Amino acid sequence: MTTASARPATMGPVTDTWLAPADSADPAARLDLAGRRLHFIGVGGSGMSGLARLAASLGAACTGIDHLESPTTAAARDAGVTVSLDQSAAALPDALDAVIASAAIKPDHPQHAAATQRGVPVLKYADMLGRLMLGRAGVAIAGTHGKSSTTAMLAHVLLAAGRDPSFILGATCAQIGGSARVGTGPTLLAEACEYDRSFHHLHPTHAVVLNVEADHLDYYADLDEIVAAFAKFADRLPAHGSLLIQHECVHRLDIAGRTPAAVATLGFAPQADYRIAVDNGHAHLAHRKQGHLMTFARPLPGEHMAYNAAAAAITAHTLGVDWPAIADALSTFRGLDRRMQTLGSRHGVTVVDDYGHHPTEVDAPLRALRQHHRPDRLICVFQPHQHSRTRFLLDAFAASFADADHVLIPDIYFVRDSEAERRSVSAQDLVDRLTARGHDARHLPDPADLLATIDSLAAPGTLLVTMGAGDINGIAHRYLSKA
């Protein structure tokens, strides 16, 4: 690995004084990264790559490692980050100011352990992101679903309005320049993930809670614990800030009851402070007291995407953008990678890829895609993500494929779980539940068999949807590239 130029040997490892939290309302509290040497473990993740690019743009000398080359590691390199695949302790650069590790990295990782032994501060991704919010107008988008789409739409609206925000996404949106940007404006937008209570490290002024459901049950004991974590996140908001929360969330009052920030609700119910309604290709946003606010062309199919767009719109208005400008910008949004993304067609078969890996994230896109495309046949290739999630939510997953005619399931994508968890559930268990419900479901662990089955089922007028948070999009690209 190419390392940053070393400091004089007498200096030794730096202390973390420069990282000490400060008053987020103080403009002078901004973390100065100019000349700092930062190393990112897991730089191939969308968020980590974006954070490394953000840090490099703010003047830090950045290095990073991951286990394989990918578009995200390439994007980091293009931004000036030195990236290596060597994860050994010996490859850890010298004279570092801090190491930033993704949530998936354990303390026994060779470079994590080596940094600790050297006395180099080791921060989690969310901790560094939160520190970068200090002194800025931070906006944190939280929720079980929709974070990336909402954050991307908000960034697009602010850019179109000339607000020039900084942002970091957990996905790639070519229309707004990728997954990260350093703007000249005071606003920093970011997704706020509940896993590992990461969002408790953030320092937002404004926040959105899109929805709250059971997930990450490998980390949380139950839904009550998840709700408590969201409540603590809301409590971190300042009195001059704002919280927008889903009106229909049954835990809304538990989450928003103690925050000092101004609270408003968004939903489809007439009682919501902000109400979203949809019709043929358009969405209408109204306020309970102010009446109609705007109508905009729905940027993507599905009521869930109209809801996400409305959340972005309300937040943009809170930041000072007027409603006509917001409506115009949303109408031109073209989407982001792996969110109901149309990849192309082959022999009359339309291919769409989606990141959905939770039952709600399966059900809502499939419903939206069937209504939008009206295919003769819908084939869903679903790759379960994590054995623990599959086991905890098995029945809910089995109920989420009502709009698919055929469900093809490869092996579960293994990440984070223990070997014991890996043995506790299999893709065949999900197939059995689906078959019991009358679905045509098949377990196809071999990619060649999977592609052959797609070919045998597909015909002109078919919609093929690949879905999952792992590497299943590779099947979509392989199918499209076939002769």
Side-chain angles (χ1 to χ4, degrees):
M1 175 186 293
T2 302
T3 64
S5 57
R7 297 174 175 179
T10 56
M11 290 187 67
V14 298
T15 67
D16 60 357
T17 304
W18 68 281
L19 287 169
D23 181 2
S24 62
D26 179 8
R30 287 196 181 192
L31 190 64
D32 184 7
L33 294 185
R36 296 294 177 183
R37 291 175 170 82
L38 307 179
H39 184 66
F40 295 78
I41 304 177
V43 76
S46 294
M48 283 288 286
S49 175
L51 185 62
R53 292 163 59 196
L54 187 62
S57 298
L58 291 171
C62 297
T63 55
I65 58 163
D66 210 277
H67 66 285
L68 52 80
E69 298 286 358
S70 67
T72 49
T73 57
R77 278 200 181 91
D78 290 344
V81 180
T82 301
V83 178
S84 169
L85 302 185
D86 187 349
Q87 303 194 56
S88 67
L92 183 70
D94 296 324
L96 291 170
D97 290 293
V99 168
I100 296 90
S102 78
I105 300 300
K106 305 299 183 186
D108 61 356
H109 183 283
Q111 293 194 0
H112 190 301
T116 302
Q117 186 175 17
R118 288 188 199 176
V120 178
V122 180
L123 285 73
K124 292 185 178 181
Y125 159 83
D127 196 354
M128 177 56 81
L129 177 59
R131 291 164 193 266
L132 289 177
M133 281 188 173
L134 292 169
R136 292 177 168 84
V139 179
I141 310 297
T144 311
H145 327 291
K147 295 184 289 292
S148 295
S149 297
T150 303
T151 307
M153 284 188 271
L154 176 56
H156 172 67
V157 170
L158 294 179
L159 286 168
R163 298 303 175 107
D164 200 20
S166 300
F167 64 79
I168 181 165
L169 300 177
T172 300
C173 179
Q175 191 175 10
I176 58 175
S179 62
R181 172 189 173 85
V182 178
T184 58
T187 306
L188 172 58
L189 318 176
E191 298 177 39
C193 181
E194 71 273 22
Y195 176 72
D196 196 31
R197 293 180 171 83
S198 294
F199 55 1
H200 292 171
H201 292 286
L202 304 184
H203 299 278
T205 303
H206 306 285
V208 177
V209 175
L210 295 165
N211 38 62
V212 178
E213 294 187 41
D215 197 9
H216 302 301
L217 294 172
D218 57 323
Y219 178 78
Y220 290 103
D222 50 31
L223 181 57
D224 288 342
E225 199 171 274
I226 295 171
V227 170
F230 273 90
K232 185 175 179 179
F233 166 70
D235 291 350
R236 294 176 63 80
L237 291 164
H240 64 280
S242 70
L243 172 65
L244 179 67
I245 187 168
Q246 183 187 39
H247 182 83
E248 292 86 354
C249 177
V250 296
H251 307 285
R252 168 168 55 86
L253 297 180
D254 295 323
I255 293 168
R258 296 190 307 272
T259 182
V263 179
T265 68
L266 166 66
F268 293 91
Q271 298 82 5
D273 294 322
Y274 291 92
R275 182 187 182 191
I276 186 73
V278 298
D279 58 22
N280 295 328
H282 288 83
H284 311 278
L285 183 63
H287 189 270
R288 184 165 54 91
K289 296 180 179 178
Q290 301 168 26
H292 180 264
L293 299 173
M294 69 172 191
T295 294
F296 59 94
R298 290 159 60 184
L300 295 167
E303 289 188 349
H304 65 300
M305 281 298 184
Y307 170 82
N308 294 341
I314 296 162
T315 308
H317 186 71
T318 299
L319 295 171
V321 185
D322 61 38
W323 295 116
I326 294 169
D328 289 344
L330 285 176
S331 298
T332 64
F333 185 70
R334 297 193 296 271
L336 61 164
D337 288 0
R338 306 219 60 211
R339 272 62 176 183
M340 294 194 296
Q341 181 186 17
T342 300
L343 299 180
S345 62
R346 173 175 172 263
H347 301 326
V349 177
T350 300
V351 181
V352 173
D353 181 52
D354 191 81
Y355 193 71
H357 54 284
H358 181 279
T360 301
E361 296 170 355
V362 173
D363 177 75
L366 289 181
R367 289 178 185 275
L369 289 167
R370 178 170 282 284
Q371 183 177 20
H372 179 72
H373 290 276
R374 301 199 179 279
D376 297 330
R377 178 179 299 176
L378 195 159
I379 302 171
C380 181
V381 181
F382 175 68
Q383 181 185 48
H385 187 261
Q386 283 190 280
H387 290 74
S388 56
R389 178 182 285 118
T390 306
R391 179 171 65 86
F392 284 121
L393 303 176
L394 192 60
D395 289 325
F397 272 120
S400 64
F401 291 91
D403 279 271
D405 297 297
H406 309 280
V407 184
L408 311 181
I409 301 181
D411 283 336
I412 298 170
Y413 190 79
F414 179 63
V415 58
R416 244 179 13 226
D417 286 323
S418 66
E419 283 298 327
E421 190 70 68
R422 190 175 192 170
R423 293 190 294 271
S424 69
V425 68
S426 70
Q428 186 61 50
D429 292 322
L430 177 55
V431 168
D432 290 344
R433 299 293 177 98
L434 287 165
T435 301
R437 287 174 170 267
H439 290 286
D440 175 25
R442 314 178 196 187
H443 177 208
L444 297 165
D446 185 273
D449 292 341
L450 180 55
L451 286 165
T453 302
I454 293 170
D455 274 331
S456 70
L457 294 173
T462 295
L463 177 64
L464 171 63
V465 181
T466 55
M467 184 173 281
D471 56 6
I472 195 62
N473 57 326
I475 290 293
H477 291 289
R478 287 177 63 179
Y479 177 79
L480 286 171
S481 66
K482 292 178 68 175

